[in-house]
Amino acid sequence: MKIDLLSPASFAAGQPHDQYRWLREHAPVRWHDEPGGRGFWAVTRHADVWAVDRDFQGFSSEPTIMIPDPPPGQGQGFGPYKMMLMMDPPEHTAFRKLIRQEFTLPAARLREDRIKALAKQIVDAVIHPSSGSGGECDFVADVAGEMPSFVIAELMGLPLADGRELYKLTETIHTAPEALPPGAGGAAVAKMFEYGSGVIAEKRARPGDDLASRLLACEVDGRKLEDMEFLLFFLLLVDAGGDTTRNLLSGGLLALMEHPDQMAWLMADLPGRLPSAREELLRWTSPVIYMRRTARRDVVLAGETIREGDKVVMYFGAANRDPAAFDRPETLDLSRPENPHIAFGTGPHGCLGQHIARIEIDAMLSEVLTRMTDFELAAPPEWLASNFISGPRTMPLRFNGC
């Protein structure tokens, strides 16, 4: 079996489950060469991914959670500043506290009615478009990408249309550099920072009841955030705020179309069966492909000796199809009674926005599955050229609206 977890070609039609399966069975912690880099350990079993993700004392998120090392002497590329994802406790804990209250389950539930209204608005727009092209849409851009874009825009106190444009930048940021024109990824980050600088100026001049204003007013270790610290928060919230929802909705609908028996089971009692279906679709799609850690000390994992400083990469899609953790893992079973998936990660770096993401997913699937029927692909989906985020980039659909 040829193992290549770096090339976007391996992820051109979704995650490479044949490679994952071989790795779990034969080399669950396997050294993976890295052209132009020093290589890394690929971790593919559920128990091992769970252990690494929760052990921040043994496996650090610094200097980066991405496989490529930052250039020598450049840290994360932002001078002395770090994104929260690339911090360890207690520093990570202090920064996470700044926004944690916005993403608790009670806070997420307070937004449920508004999220349902947004879902209706989004589906209205594709069923009754001003262009008159009803019955056709690009499900990723017109539906799946709209919801998280709108929700994060409202959280930050931004116009909804700006959320849509920021989403386009995140798509570029997640695309593998080799699939983009030279410098496109860096240019997208620069545009995000340029927009974020405008947010800083606006919210300092006219603070409102929104997350951006509160971030600029809060303190960490007795001081207010510097501009670059805010911009890294802004990048993280916009970037990570859409990953799981957007790719779960598009990849999840594709899975339902490919498994009509499961679609029929779900539609027989959509309100009652949606919670278990949502969790199974999260397991099945696993939108975030990997997270990297760096070993703080020598450790033995699955019989392999990992040395201090080695890169250790957790593959969530592989862990979520591990037969040691799931009965019939290669079967999409929306009624799965126990589902210990780790699509949102686990431990101190577990996804902060997962409660809002679940509400977004439920609201959108409820609207889509009751008001858009007879789905048919108008063209094959084109997957995001990325080894970090998994999901369709485009998914042209024909449907009947009601």
Side-chain angles (χ1 to χ4, degrees), residues 13 49 86 124 139 166 210 221 276 285 287 320 357 359 390 395-396:
V49 170
M86 302 175 191
D124 281 346
F139 188 78
L166 291 170
D210 54 71
D221 296 333
S276 71
T285 59
N320 282 335
I359 291 172
S390 178
M395 195 167 115

Side-chain angles (χ1 to χ4, degrees), residues 293-347:
R293 300 291 184 257
T294 301
R296 291 179 178 268
R297 58 176 180 264
D298 291 359
V299 63
V300 176
L301 187 67
E304 298 289 349
T305 300
I306 297 170
R307 299 296 181 188
E308 180 181 356
D310 282 357
K311 295 190 276 189
V312 180
V313 180
M314 304 170 289
Y315 282 91
F316 297 114
N320 282 335
R321 300 229 186 157
D322 185 349
F326 303 93
D327 180 42
R328 299 173 297 111
E330 301 292 345
T331 298
L332 180 69
D333 180 4
L334 301 184
S335 66
R336 190 176 294 277
E338 295 184 11
N339 200 334
H341 72 77
I342 43 179
F344 288 115
T346 183

Side-chain angles (χ1 to χ4, degrees), residues 148-307:
S149 303
F150 288 170
V151 169
I152 199 63
E154 289 205 340
L155 273 170
M156 301 291 282
L158 310 176
L160 296 189
D162 289 8
R164 182 185 294 126
E165 294 305 309
L166 291 170
Y167 148 67
K168 294 176 182 177
L169 294 177
T170 69
E171 187 175 76
T172 300
I173 292 168
H174 287 154
T175 300
E178 56 266 39
L180 293 169
V189 173
K191 287 182 181 178
M192 190 82 74
F193 283 174
E194 180 182 2
Y195 184 93
S197 295
V199 173
I200 292 173
E202 170 67 22
K203 300 301 181 182
R204 281 182 176 154
R206 288 170 287 277
D209 183 22
D210 54 71
L211 181 54
S213 298
R214 286 191 283 277
L215 267 175
L216 288 167
C218 72
E219 294 185 352
V220 60
D221 296 333
R223 61 174 182 81
K224 290 188 175 181
L225 294 181
E226 297 183 35
D227 285 3
M228 180 53 77
E229 289 174 317
F230 174 86
L231 290 175
L232 289 173
F233 252 124
F234 183 76
L235 175 62
L236 173 62
L237 288 166
V238 173
D239 203 18
D243 289 343
T244 302
T245 302
R246 178 173 63 247
N247 293 296
L248 181 282
L249 288 170
S250 51
L253 181 62
L254 184 61
L256 291 173
M257 294 170 66
E258 293 171 343
H259 297 82
D261 60 320
Q262 292 296 293
M263 175 80 91
W265 179 87
L266 176 59
M267 295 308 295
D269 179 12
L270 183 60
R273 294 175 175 179
L274 186 54
S276 71
R278 173 231 304 144
E279 297 307 309
E280 177 69 347
L281 291 171
L282 282 164
R283 180 191 76 86
W284 188 258
T285 59
S286 295
V288 177
I289 294 170
Y290 78 79
M291 285 284 171
R292 166 195 162 176
R293 300 291 184 257
T294 301
R296 291 179 178 268
R297 58 176 180 264
D298 291 359
V299 63
V300 176
L301 187 67
E304 298 289 349
T305 300
I306 297 170
R307 299 296 181 188

Side-chain angles (χ1 to χ4, degrees), residues 39-202:
F40 60 92
W41 294 98
V43 181
T44 50
R45 290 192 308 200
H46 188 280
D48 296 329
V49 170
W50 176 276
V52 170
D53 208 12
R54 299 181 74 84
D55 183 9
F56 66 88
Q57 294 174 324
F59 300 94
S60 175
S61 296
E62 298 183 6
T64 178
I65 51 87
M66 306 299 292
I67 291 174
D69 284 318
Q74 291 191 24
Q76 296 175 11
F78 307 111
Y81 304 102
K82 294 183 289 187
M83 187 178 285
M84 187 177 69
L85 269 181
M86 302 175 191
M87 299 175 181
D88 295 315
E91 182 183 26
H92 172 267
T93 307
F95 274 79
R96 189 173 169 112
K97 282 181 179 177
L98 298 180
I99 57 174
R100 183 177 59 192
Q101 194 61 35
E102 301 287 337
F103 296 98
T104 62
L105 183 56
R109 284 177 173 159
L110 289 175
R111 298 184 179 276
E112 189 167 3
D113 287 346
R114 176 56 180 159
I115 289 172
K116 288 179 178 178
L118 286 172
K120 183 179 185 302
Q121 175 182 325
I122 291 164
V123 173
D124 281 346
V126 296
I127 290 179
H128 309 293
S130 58
S131 64
S133 60
E136 293 186 7
C137 71
D138 177 350
F139 188 78
V140 179
D142 299 333
V143 180
E146 293 282 81
M147 172 58 82
S149 303
F150 288 170
V151 169
I152 199 63
E154 289 205 340
L155 273 170
M156 301 291 282
L158 310 176
L160 296 189
D162 289 8
R164 182 185 294 126
E165 294 305 309
L166 291 170
Y167 148 67
K168 294 176 182 177
L169 294 177
T170 69
E171 187 175 76
T172 300
I173 292 168
H174 287 154
T175 300
E178 56 266 39
L180 293 169
V189 173
K191 287 182 181 178
M192 190 82 74
F193 283 174
E194 180 182 2
Y195 184 93
S197 295
V199 173
I200 292 173
E202 170 67 22

Side-chain angles (χ1 to χ4, degrees), residues 20-28 44-45 318 321-323 330:
Y20 291 163
R21 189 179 308 111
W22 188 94
L23 287 167
R24 283 193 308 265
E25 294 174 359
H26 300 281
T44 50
R45 290 192 308 200
R321 300 229 186 157
D322 185 349
E330 301 292 345

